Every structure is written in structure tokens, then in C-alpha cells.
């Protein structure tokens, strides 16, 4: 009886092994997260790192926290300076700020790229000159020069086989492309005291989203512009490099001042496509009066303040500036205010918790770039 060798095919499963990292890289990932939570306070971040080391044994006798700090200095992530009291101290550098922005981008945008949901809400497919790397089935009316022959031939071979090779309409795919339109975006971040009330840190996720969005635009869409402002009792512009140090203050919420500043910024932009993203968790509760004094009312929705917000929303609509509000609160009366505000602007609103905030903003940004906002 002959012995026949049997060729066996299948899947082999083995225990997952995480990619090996150097002790520095392991600690640096945690350090970047901590320095974001501590608003750039190096000493506080290191104290947290020491506590985590005690609990989770992050270091070894061969590589300690002191060794990690020395490496941060050598690699250009820390600089020595003199504090206001004349004492020597350590502070993060611009290189660290860039690393934090990149980590935020990986955390937020990386999830979207891996998910493959394709959840773009654009009403029309653009025919443009900027390739996206995404494919869709051919539709009647698509230009022939947009058909990807490589992918279409591959589909034909899979669907019909090599021996009876045919190319049908169902095999054709088109590579998505966009017009190289430019988008000017202003991101408004609420830094009123309520962003840290009730034991919930809402400012850190907002900062992460801002840093990730800044990194995405500067690296992937360099012709686009992103301006960032914060609003409490007043509103003021901040630079991208300031984001890791952003803190909540003892402020009320002057939404009107934020919208006024945002529209002033966008008026100076030559781009046709303009938009405002607003991240907030509370109701508008403050106005600055013509004489420079502040009118504040934290109890309920003040009609004077609310009506001024509606007027600003309508003014933005006349300037063809859509406002997308990301509301980190789900109180019924606040949601009603946002609905009225959104109706006045003909913009959009998302009622969301902290989880998923980044994904929503990124998908909306990508969607808005695909459609031309008429000027």
C-alpha cells in the first residue's frame, strides 16, 4: 500500500505577543499621555509616572525613571530653565509638543482608518484631481479615466477566472477623488469651569481632538487652515503649540464672544469653504456689555443671552459659515437650545459624550472637505 503525503492547509493560532519596545519608548508613551492630562506640568507628570511605576513595575534596576529623564534631555524632549522663584526646573520642548500631537492623531484618526466604516455623509461624489485611495463600484455617468484598470482587472479575474476571462460592468471600480479645494476651519473650545465639574475631565479630550485635528491638517491638508480659540468670560485665540498647556478657568460661558472672534478670523480668509466647530458642555451664561462689564446668569437659559446667540448663528449663515456644535451634555433644555441654534444657522449638531468625540469631528471634517460650500 502506497503512502501518500497529504498537504494540510489551515490557520495556526498562537498566543499574541506585543511588539517589543525599548524601556524608553514604553515610558514615553505613558509620559505623553500624562503631560497632556497635567497641561504640560512636567513635575506633576513625573509624580504620576512614579506612582504608576510603583503599581505596575514599569521600570527595572537597569533602567529607572532617572534614566528616562536623562534620555528625555538627550533626545531633545526636555529643556532646563529657571522658574519664577529663581529655581532650576525642567519643561517640555517643541519636539515634545509635536510628539503629543502625533500621538493624539494616531489615537483618534487611526481608529477611523482601521474601522473601515466608510461613513461619509457627503451627498454627492466629487470628481476631482486629489486621489483618496478609496474605491467604489462603477456607476453610469462616471468618467472612463476615473476607472481603476488594475483593480477592475483584478475583480474580473476573481469573479470569472483566468480560463474564461471577461470584463463586465460589475467588475469595474472607480477611484475616489476630490477637488483640491481649501478649507478654513475655526475650532472653538469651551474652557468654562463646568468642563471639569462633577468629577469628569472634559477638557483633556477636547485638547486631544484639537491637537489631532491640527496635526492632520498640517500634514495631510497643508493648504487648509485651522485656527483655534477658547472661550470663557471672553474669547481669545491660542496657537497650536499652546494646546498641551490649556487649562479650564473660573469662567462662565460667553458663546457670543467666541462666535464673534471665530467669524472675524474667517472673514480674513480667502478660501471659499469656511466652517466653525464648537466643542461645549454648557449653556451660554455670559455676555460682555458695551461698557466693558459682564452680564452673567448661570440659572437656566437667559433670554437675552440666548437670543444673542441665535443672532450670531444667523449672521454666520449669511456669511455662508456653517457651525457644527459638539455638545458634551444631554440635558433636555440644553439640547433644545442647541437645536434652535442649529436651525438658525442651518448647521449641524452632535449630542455626544466624551467617547467618540474625536471620530465625529474627524468624519465631519472629511465630509465637509468633499462638498463645495457655495460662496
Amino acid at each position: 500500500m502506497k503512502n501518500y503525503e497529504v498537504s494540510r492547509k489551515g490557520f495556526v493560532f498562537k498566543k499574541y505577543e506585543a511588539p517589543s519596545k525599548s524601556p524608553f519608548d514604553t515610558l514615553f508613551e505613558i509620559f505623553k499621555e500624562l503631560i497632556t492630562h497635567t497641561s504640560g506640568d512636567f513635575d506633576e507628570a513625573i509624580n504620576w509616572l512614579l506612582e504608576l511605576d510603583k503599581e505596575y513595575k514599569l521600570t527595572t534596576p537597569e533602567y529607572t525613571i532617572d534614566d528616562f529623564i536623562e534620555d528625555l534631555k538627550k533626545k531633545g524632549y526636555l529643556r532646563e530653565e529657571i522658574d519664577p522663584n529663581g529655581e532650576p526646573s525642567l519643561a517640555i520642548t517643541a519636539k515634545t509638543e509635536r510628539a503629543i500631537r502625533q500621538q493624539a492623531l494616531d489615537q483618534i484618526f487611526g481608529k477611523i482608518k482601521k474601522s473601515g466604516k466608510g461613513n461619509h455623509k457627503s451627498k454627492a461624489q466629487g470628481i476631482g484631481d486629489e486621489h483618496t485611495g478609496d474605491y467604489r463600484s462603477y456607476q453610469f455617468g462616471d468618467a472612463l479615466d476615473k476607472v481603476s484598470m488594475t483593480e477592475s482587472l483584478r475583480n474580473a479575474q476573481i469573479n470569472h477566472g483566468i480560463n474564461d476571462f471577461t470584463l463586465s460592468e460589475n467588475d469595474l471600480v472607480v477611484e475616489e477623488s476630490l477637488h483640491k479645494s481649501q478649507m478654513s476651519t475655526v475650532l472653538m473650545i469651551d474652557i468654562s469651569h463646568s468642563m471639569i465639574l462633577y468629577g469628569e475631565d472634559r477638557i483633556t479630550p477636547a485638547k486631544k481632538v484639537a491637537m489631532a485635528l491640527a496635526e492632520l491638517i498640517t500634514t495631510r491638508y497643508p493648504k487648509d487652515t485651522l485656527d483655534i480659540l477658547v472661550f470663557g468670560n471672553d474669547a481669545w485665540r491660542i496657537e497650536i503649540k499652546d494646546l498641551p498647556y490649556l487649562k479650564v478657568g473660573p469662567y462662565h460661558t460667553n458663546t457670543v464672544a467666541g462666535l464673534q472672534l471665530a467669524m472675524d478670523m474667517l472673514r480674513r480668509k480667502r478660501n471659499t469653504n469656511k466652517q466653525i466647530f464648537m466643542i461645549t458642555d454648557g449653556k451660554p451664561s455670559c455676555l460682555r456689555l458695551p461698557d466693558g462689564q459682564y452680564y452673567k446668569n448661570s440659572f437656566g437659559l437667559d433670554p437675552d443671552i440666548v437670543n444673542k446667540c441665535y443672532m450670531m448663528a444667523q449672521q454666520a449663515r449669511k456669511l455662508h459659515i456653517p457651525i457644527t456644535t459638539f455638545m458634551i451634555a444631554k440635558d433636555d433644555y440644553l439640547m433644545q437650545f442647541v437645536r434652535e441654534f442649529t436651525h438658525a444657522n442651518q448647521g449641524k449638531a452632535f449630542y455626544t459624550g466624551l467617547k467618540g468625540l474625536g471620530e465625529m469631528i474627524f468624519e465631519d471634517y472629511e465630509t465637509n472637505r468633499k462638498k463645495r460650500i457655495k460662496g
Side-chain angles (χ1 to χ4, degrees), residues 155-340:
N155 287 344
Q157 182 177 349
I158 293 172
N159 295 335
H160 310 294
I162 194 66
N163 295 326
D164 186 24
F165 182 81
T166 57
L167 181 66
S168 69
E169 182 179 339
N170 292 332
D171 301 321
L172 299 178
V173 293
V174 174
E175 183 175 6
E176 294 279 30
S177 59
L178 304 175
H179 289 290
K180 289 184 179 178
S181 59
Q182 297 176 349
M183 173 69 77
S184 290
T185 302
V186 172
L187 177 62
M188 297 172 51
I189 303 176
D190 185 350
I191 60 167
S192 61
H193 185 59
S194 60
M195 290 288 277
I196 55 170
L197 280 180
Y198 315 116
E200 186 173 47
D201 177 9
R202 295 168 174 173
I203 190 63
T204 299
K207 282 194 297 185
K208 282 188 176 182
V209 167
M211 289 189 290
L213 191 59
E215 191 68 10
L216 175 77
I217 290 174
T218 54
T219 56
R220 182 169 175 178
Y221 303 116
K223 293 183 179 180
D224 287 7
T225 66
L226 174 67
D227 292 288
I228 303 170
L229 66 86
V230 294
F231 61 105
N233 291 348
D234 291 294
W236 60 95
R237 178 181 178 176
I238 63 171
E239 300 295 332
I240 292 174
K241 64 181 179 63
D242 300 325
L243 282 170
Y245 313 101
L246 190 60
K247 296 180 180 179
V248 168
Y251 307 124
H252 286 69
T253 307
N254 192 343
T255 307
V256 170
L259 292 170
Q260 286 174 332
L261 180 56
M263 283 190 280
D264 286 344
M265 290 177 174
L266 290 174
R267 283 191 187 97
R268 301 187 183 100
K269 306 296 182 183
R270 296 182 178 180
N271 298 344
T272 302
N273 294 344
K274 302 174 182 180
Q275 63 182 349
I276 295 173
F277 286 168
M278 178 167 64
I279 304 175
T280 182
D281 76 324
K283 59 183 175 293
S285 58
C286 178
L287 281 178
R288 189 168 187 179
L289 302 176
D291 61 3
Q293 297 188 35
Y294 295 96
Y295 171 67
K296 302 174 184 177
N297 185 354
S298 299
F299 302 99
L301 289 170
D302 186 290
D304 291 336
I305 298 175
V306 168
N307 288 333
K308 188 68 173 178
C309 289
Y310 295 155
M311 289 175 57
M312 296 302 299
Q314 292 169 348
Q315 185 178 341
R317 180 184 177 184
K318 291 178 182 178
L319 294 172
H320 305 287
I321 301 175
I323 302 171
T324 303
T325 304
F326 298 89
M327 193 70 174
I328 315 174
K330 295 188 177 180
D331 305 75
D332 290 338
Y333 77 107
L334 292 180
M335 292 172 67
Q336 180 61 35
F337 158 70
V338 173
R339 278 192 286 268
E340 295 291 336

Side-chain angles (χ1 to χ4, degrees), residues 30 34 47-58:
I30 302 170
L34 293 173
N47 287 336
W48 277 106
L49 190 59
L50 287 167
E51 292 299 320
L52 291 172
D53 184 29
K54 290 178 184 177
E55 186 171 352
Y56 297 104
K57 303 294 186 290
L58 302 174

Side-chain angles (χ1 to χ4, degrees), residues 141-159:
D142 286 333
L144 292 179
D145 62 340
K146 299 301 178 184
V147 174
S148 173
M149 292 308 300
T150 301
E151 290 296 318
S152 298
L153 290 172
R154 177 175 174 273
N155 287 344
Q157 182 177 349
I158 293 172
N159 295 335

Side-chain angles (χ1 to χ4, degrees), residues 76-130:
Y77 292 110
L78 285 182
R79 69 173 183 270
E80 296 181 348
E81 60 182 23
I82 304 298
D83 66 18
N85 298 322
E87 299 293 329
S89 63
L90 294 170
I92 63 175
T93 64
K95 185 177 181 180
T96 310
E97 294 164 3
R98 288 193 300 271
I100 295 171
R101 292 198 299 270
Q102 183 59 53
Q103 176 168 285
L105 178 64
D106 293 340
Q107 287 176 343
I108 296 173
F109 193 62
K111 292 178 184 177
I112 300 172
K113 296 296 285 185
K114 291 175 184 176
S115 69
K117 293 178 183 177
N119 186 23
H120 297 297
K121 300 177 182 177
S122 180
K123 294 181 180 178
Q125 302 290 347
I127 299 176
D129 48 9
E130 182 178 338

